[in-house]
Amino acid sequence: MKSIEAINTDVTVIGLGQMGTTLASLLLKSGYTVTIWNRTKSKGEILIKDGAKWAENIAAAIQASDTIVICLFDYAATRDILYTEDVTASLAGKTIIQLTTGSPTDAIESEAWAQQHGAYYIDGAIQVAPEQMAKPDTTIFISGQQKTFSASKTILDVFGGNIKYLGEKISAASAMDLASLSYLYGSLLGFFHAVRISEVEGFSANLLGEVIREITPGFAEFIQYEASVIQSGTFNVTQSPLSISVEATARILRSSREYKINTELAELAASFLKRAKEAGYENEELASLIKIFRA
Ligand SMILES: NC(=O)c1ccc[n+]([C@@H]2O[C@H](COP(=O)([O-])OP(=O)(O)OC[C@H]3O[C@@H](n4cnc5c(N)ncnc54)[C@H](OP(=O)(O)O)[C@@H]3O)[C@@H](O)[C@H]2O)c1
């Protein structure tokens, strides 16, 4: 098996959707020799004009470079394309950087498959849209063997300035992706409820967006503080007693009923806080709500 230190400036990108095309384009701009392959060849035409080499089939794409970046719709597509004898025969000593978003189970299965065929493997989850790639704050979660991560870091740095290495447990990147998306969708549901309030009260969605952008850094600091309280396991009030949120969520629910807007989210939030009060956490830090989630 080839040494991991042997990674060079030849990179193959498999998958030329919105994100894969962006990854290939960034590598070309950074001076890498880039080989591309996609099920639909037409999506590679602009990249070929920009200097990318088209591989006639997937086996040729794997053979062309020591580092293989994969960015497909899902892991099922990865399995459809790569789990063939043609491909596995050429995998020994290659480094696979899997940037398709998947589940922790997908990552575990995928690493085992790569290792079985003698390849180095790291798994990643991109946290931004294609046009936000390659910025100083572009976040990509990565997990997998430290030596493979270290050898791939120069390539990963082309994709974003905040490469967040989460350790050798291969499922860590996809698990952190589940966590960040859980946070995002919770916030988005709150955002849509907020839009309904703005519509009834007659202030614009643009103004709401502006206000949320302005207050988000402060909210983020507050969330980080609550995380530190959970980490410490000591819930004495220092910032925000849970009782304030019992009242706030009850007020949101009451007003939503008066507005005659959808109340599902407001009911859920008020119900969580009411349960925390009934469990006796009213005079603890808001972070003690985690005990209701754990119950
Ligand atoms: N776009 C984003 O904003 C964003 C942000 C973060 C993470 N991601 C992740 O990046 C990955 C790629 O996203 P994308 O936006 O590039 O998706 P996309 O534009 O929908 O492209 C999907 C890619 O997968 C290929 N594909 C799908 N099913 C296939 C199959 N059965 N066999 C062979 N190829 C197949 C497509 O090939 P064809 O061209 O032939 O259809 C295409 O290359 C996803 O896992 C996504 O979650 C995307």
Side-chain angles (χ1 to χ4, degrees):
M1 186 162 162
K2 233 182 264 177
S3 152
I4 186 75
E5 284 77 27
I7 286 178
N8 58 28
T9 57
D10 293 355
V11 180
T12 288
V13 177
I14 293 170
L16 300 176
Q18 305 262 12
M19 190 55 89
T21 299
T22 303
L23 300 177
S25 172
L26 288 170
L27 288 167
L28 281 171
K29 284 181 193 143
S30 299
Y32 285 85
T33 301
V34 180
T35 300
I36 53 174
W37 184 86
N38 191 51
R39 178 177 63 179
T40 309
K41 183 176 179 181
S42 57
K43 290 194 186 165
E45 276 163 12
I46 293 173
L47 290 165
I48 294 167
K49 278 192 194 123
D50 289 344
K53 299 179 186 176
W54 176 257
E56 281 311 322
N57 53 56
I58 185 68
I62 300 293
Q63 283 154 17
S65 315
D66 281 345
T67 302
I68 320 292
V69 173
I70 303 171
C71 193
L72 292 160
F73 183 72
D74 58 12
Y75 280 64
T78 305
R79 288 190 284 271
D80 281 354
I81 294 170
L82 292 179
Y83 287 28
T84 69
E85 279 183 20
D86 273 4
V87 168
T88 53
S90 309
L91 276 185
K94 305 278 181 186
T95 295
I96 296 175
I97 302 177
Q98 170 60 287
L99 294 179
T100 304
T101 310
S103 70
T105 308
D106 285 327
I108 292 165
E109 191 274 336
S110 205
E111 180 189 52
W113 167 82
Q115 288 178 347
Q116 182 192 341
H117 298 290
Y120 303 100
Y121 182 89
I122 51 174
D123 200 273
I126 298 170
Q127 297 302 295
V128 299
E131 65 181 27
Q132 298 168 308
M133 292 297 288
K135 304 211 162 141
D137 62 349
T138 298
T139 299
I140 303 177
F141 302 143
I142 298 287
S143 52
Q145 289 193 343
Q146 170 83 54
K147 64 177 179 186
T148 310
F149 168 68
S150 300
S152 309
K153 180 73 170 40
T154 313
I155 290 172
L156 292 168
D157 286 342
V158 170
F159 301 146
N162 187 29
I163 302 299
K164 200 102 185 145
Y165 177 61
L166 298 170
E168 297 214 330
K169 191 174 177 189
I170 197 65
S171 54
S174 48
M176 189 61 86
D177 183 64
L178 289 181
S180 75
L181 287 178
S182 299
Y183 169 74
L184 177 65
Y185 285 115
S187 303
L188 280 173
L189 291 178
F191 167 70
F192 290 113
H193 189 82
V195 170
R196 288 297 293 127
I197 293 173
S198 74
E199 286 173 349
V200 175
E201 282 291 352
F203 52 85
S204 71
N206 277 343
L207 176 60
L208 178 65
E210 182 186 311
V211 166
I212 288 176
R213 191 185 180 110
E214 286 165 1
I215 60 178
T216 292
F219 280 3
E221 264 178 43
F222 178 66
I223 288 170
Q224 175 127 43
Y225 177 75
E226 296 300 302
S228 74
V229 173
I230 291 169
Q231 181 82 43
S232 75
T234 304
F235 293 93
N236 302 337
V237 177
T238 54
Q239 296 283 320
S240 180
L242 189 132
S243 56
I244 290 180
S245 293
V246 175
E247 162 52 23
T249 51
R251 189 169 67 247
I252 294 168
L253 177 57
R254 207 169 48 243
S255 302
S256 300
R257 285 181 178 143
E258 287 164 10
Y259 283 139
K260 299 193 187 336
I261 60 176
N262 179 295
T263 56
E264 287 167 277
L265 183 69
E267 277 165 21
L268 181 68
S271 137
F272 267 114
L273 269 299
K274 187 163 169 273
R275 281 158 60 199
K277 178 184 172 181
E278 286 164 1
Y281 307 139
E282 198 177 9
N283 296 315
E284 294 190 1
E285 181 67 26
L286 173 60
S288 67
L289 191 58
I290 190 60
K291 295 184 229 172
I292 299 299
F293 278 81
R294 284 175 182 153

